[in-house]
Amino acid sequence: MKVNTVVASSAKSNGRPLTSDCDVAVIGAGPYGLSAGVHLKAKGIAVRVFGEPMEFWAQKMPEGMLLRSPRVASNLSDPDRAFTLEAYEAASKKEPCAPLPLDTFVEYGKWFRHQLGSDLDQRNVLRVDRDQPGFRLTLQDGEELRATYVVVAAGIGPFKKKPEVFRNLSPDQAIHCYEGRGIRKYSGKRVAVIGAGQSALESAALLHEANAHVEVIARQPDVKWIGQHSWLHHMGPISSMLYSSHDIGPLGISRLVAYPKLVSYVPLTLRDKIRKRAVRPAGARWLPDRLSSVKITTGRGVSQATALADEVALKLDDGSERRVDHVVLGTGYTVDISRYDFLPQELTQDIKQFDGYPKLASGFRSSVPGLHFIGATAARSFGPLLYFVAGTEFASRELVSHLPKTR
Ligand SMILES: Cc1cc2nc3c(=O)[nH]c(=O)nc-3n(C[C@H](O)[C@H](O)[C@H](O)COP(=O)(O)OP(=O)(O)OC[C@H]3O[C@@H](n4cnc5c(N)ncnc54)[C@H](O)[C@@H]3O)c2cc1C
């Protein structure tokens, strides 16, 4: 059934025509939304995926970035596993390379999305309201549409954490790594990078290579590097027993993380410990060399940040001071679904949550019937795999097995 044609339906809302209905509306066309859409479509479900494909990766992530995840964990998911990264490289005659450059991954996603054809609608969703049975979606141009189910696959964009101490700096003085597409323009500038996770350290390396004068400042006592025990990954079948191919988390935990259904049965306090341990701040193995001449100050926090006429003064908690032109915040994100501006308060207040994460049951069902969440927002229920592209396979198959055909 074709669902994307705008029809001058007899049903009207606020004087505007309603487009034809669909079974499932997926909000967000990143790795999760695209994969879910393709699986749902293959099951014969009338699905529409909303949003500009791969927008977050193409527009926000630092130019020149390399993916932290291994190639095998960087595939989007389709039911026949035919639209893999490898298939894309073969089709576009690209040499496979690892680590994977950001641009290649973005192009791969844009190639993958062609499976959706006209079921991909590049407009943003402005608002979701209950409209029994199901939901009414308002799109960016004011058009409205009804969907029986809504799957929120809108990523982490709104969840950027900007610590209080940096609040008074202007957006040009303090940018978050998650909107650091153009950080290379800071060539020749003095830049403090705050944090020592992958985003912070990768941004520091890119800035340094663009001839900025960089200092990394991090609270943690030392910088951790992923893959320090690389010999453990080269012991054949024994390594496969210790680590999953997704390479998320340390020895043992890595295997558990690969079974999100199992993780969902673990008591919440233990599940949280596993989640935090699996994604603790650390830099990829190719970063130490690139950062060898970058100053890294650990065990120090910034206690004050003051905007001066044409620079920023940072006071550290040991009393020392830095003068910089820009601050790049690699301070992570805090999931809080009330920050999705397309979800009105009337809806979010009925969604049972654990501190901003929706409480999800099998099929990624929230406590509001028909409303599902996939991607990072599902990580508190199904574990840290859902923070990564590698979770698209599980999320899509699980969704499809719980969403019935409604026509
Ligand atoms: C710097 C950085 C590096 C990372 N590196 C890796 C890595 O190497 N490997 C890995 O697996 N993960 C990595 N991640 C995590 C990564 O964010 C997730 O793996 C991935 O983006 C999850 O896909 P998603 O579809 O849930 O979210 P996204 O890719 O964020 O896609 C969600 C999309 O929804 C869109 N959207 C939001 N609101 C609306 C709306 N109202 N209407 C329509 N569309 C909307 C957004 O524009 C966005 O394009 C990294 C994250 C960051 C920030």
Side-chain angles (χ1 to χ4, degrees), residues 62-74:
E63 205 179 347
M65 186 188 99
L66 299 170
L67 265 70
R68 167 211 174 285
S69 50
R71 286 175 58 84
V72 63
S74 304

Side-chain angles (χ1 to χ4, degrees), residues 27-33 50-57 61-62 65-69 73-74 123-126 153-157 177-178 198-199 333 340-342 374-376 386-390 392:
I27 304 179
Y32 275 85
F50 291 95
E52 196 186 320
M54 302 297 286
E55 189 265 343
F56 183 66
W57 290 80
M61 296 217 190
M65 186 188 99
L66 299 170
L67 265 70
R68 167 211 174 285
S69 50
S74 304
R123 290 173 293 179
N124 280 340
V125 174
L126 278 193
I156 54 171
C177 280
Y178 295 171
Q198 172 66 14
S199 303
Y333 57 90
Y340 280 141
D341 55 10
F342 56 87
I374 54 174
L386 277 298
Y387 287 131
F388 296 91
V389 173
T392 54

Side-chain angles (χ1 to χ4, degrees), residues 167 188 204 213 216 234 258 315-316 321 334 359:
R167 294 257 182 240
H213 308 284
V216 175
H234 296 104
K315 196 161 183 198
L316 271 53
E321 201 184 84
T334 307
K359 283 190 184 179

Side-chain angles (χ1 to χ4, degrees), residues 302-350:
V302 174
S303 51
Q304 205 179 327
T306 313
L308 305 173
D310 53 2
E311 58 182 356
V312 174
L314 298 178
K315 196 161 183 198
L316 271 53
D317 52 15
D318 61 355
S320 62
E321 201 184 84
R322 309 285 191 273
R323 293 290 176 103
V324 296
D325 301 302
H326 303 277
V327 179
V328 170
L329 301 171
T331 42
Y333 57 90
T334 307
V335 171
D336 178 0
I337 55 166
S338 68
R339 284 158 74 179
Y340 280 141
D341 55 10
F342 56 87
L343 292 180
Q345 205 199 343
E346 305 89 90
L347 201 53
T348 49
Q349 72 192 8
D350 288 350

Side-chain angles (χ1 to χ4, degrees), residues 59-360:
Q59 306 292 329
K60 302 289 195 300
M61 296 217 190
E63 205 179 347
M65 186 188 99
L66 299 170
L67 265 70
R68 167 211 174 285
S69 50
R71 286 175 58 84
V72 63
S74 304
N75 287 303
L76 276 63
S77 175
D78 66 287
D80 301 325
R81 297 189 179 139
F83 291 80
T84 57
L85 176 61
E86 241 171 57
Y88 160 69
E89 288 164 337
S92 58
K93 301 193 172 42
K94 258 190 192 307
E95 256 330 284
C97 65
L100 190 64
L102 171 66
D103 287 353
T104 307
F105 184 63
V106 170
E107 289 310 313
Y108 165 49
K110 291 184 175 173
W111 172 80
F112 182 95
R113 68 119 189 216
H114 288 299
Q115 295 171 83
L116 283 170
S118 54
D119 296 322
L120 175 71
D121 185 325
Q122 303 209 14
R123 290 173 293 179
N124 280 340
V125 174
L126 278 193
R127 192 178 161 101
V128 178
D129 289 288
R130 269 181 283 214
D131 185 24
Q132 296 304 342
F135 301 89
R136 189 176 67 249
L137 277 69
T138 309
L139 307 182
Q140 66 183 70
D141 55 6
E143 204 170 287
E144 295 184 345
L145 158 120
R146 285 207 209 91
T148 314
Y149 298 93
V150 167
V151 176
V152 177
I156 54 171
F159 307 148
K160 298 180 287 277
K161 219 184 328 183
K162 188 171 185 181
E164 198 54 46
V165 67
F166 301 105
R167 294 257 182 240
N168 292 329
L169 302 184
S170 70
D172 181 52
Q173 286 170 321
I175 65 151
H176 202 284
C177 280
Y178 295 171
E179 54 199 2
R181 176 79 187 154
I183 49 170
R184 282 173 165 172
K185 70 177 182 233
Y186 296 154
S187 172
K189 304 285 186 188
R190 298 161 298 165
V191 185
V193 176
I194 312 297
Q198 172 66 14
S199 303
L201 297 169
E202 174 98 34
S203 299
L206 291 167
L207 284 160
H208 171 64
E209 286 152 8
N211 296 319
H213 308 284
V214 189
E215 179 178 357
V216 175
I217 301 171
R219 278 228 175 85
Q220 57 201 71
D222 49 23
V223 175
K224 306 262 187 270
W225 303 107
I226 298 165
Q228 275 174 321
H229 308 294
S230 61
W231 56 275
L232 283 170
H233 290 265
H234 296 104
M235 297 191 307
I238 298 179
S239 301
S240 335
M241 278 157 51
L242 305 175
Y243 294 98
S244 83
S245 56
H246 305 137
D247 203 14
I248 298 166
L251 185 140
I253 286 185
S254 167
R255 287 248 46 112
L256 177 61
V257 165
Y259 296 98
K261 195 85 180 183
L262 185 63
V263 173
S264 72
Y265 298 121
V266 171
L268 182 64
T269 37
L270 182 56
R271 214 186 313 152
D272 278 349
K273 279 191 187 151
I274 292 168
R275 183 173 55 87
K276 287 181 184 155
R277 179 60 188 87
V279 293
R280 76 171 176 182
R285 66 179 186 288
W286 60 83
L287 287 172
D289 284 349
R290 291 171 59 193
L291 290 169
S292 58
S293 54
V294 168
K295 183 175 178 190
I296 300 183
T297 303
T298 53
R300 290 284 157 250
V302 174
S303 51
Q304 205 179 327
T306 313
L308 305 173
D310 53 2
E311 58 182 356
V312 174
L314 298 178
K315 196 161 183 198
L316 271 53
D317 52 15
D318 61 355
S320 62
E321 201 184 84
R322 309 285 191 273
R323 293 290 176 103
V324 296
D325 301 302
H326 303 277
V327 179
V328 170
L329 301 171
T331 42
Y333 57 90
T334 307
V335 171
D336 178 0
I337 55 166
S338 68
R339 284 158 74 179
Y340 280 141
D341 55 10
F342 56 87
L343 292 180
Q345 205 199 343
E346 305 89 90
L347 201 53
T348 49
Q349 72 192 8
D350 288 350
I351 302 170
K352 293 205 176 107
Q353 301 177 31
F354 323 94
D355 315 317
Y357 285 80
K359 283 190 184 179
L360 302 175

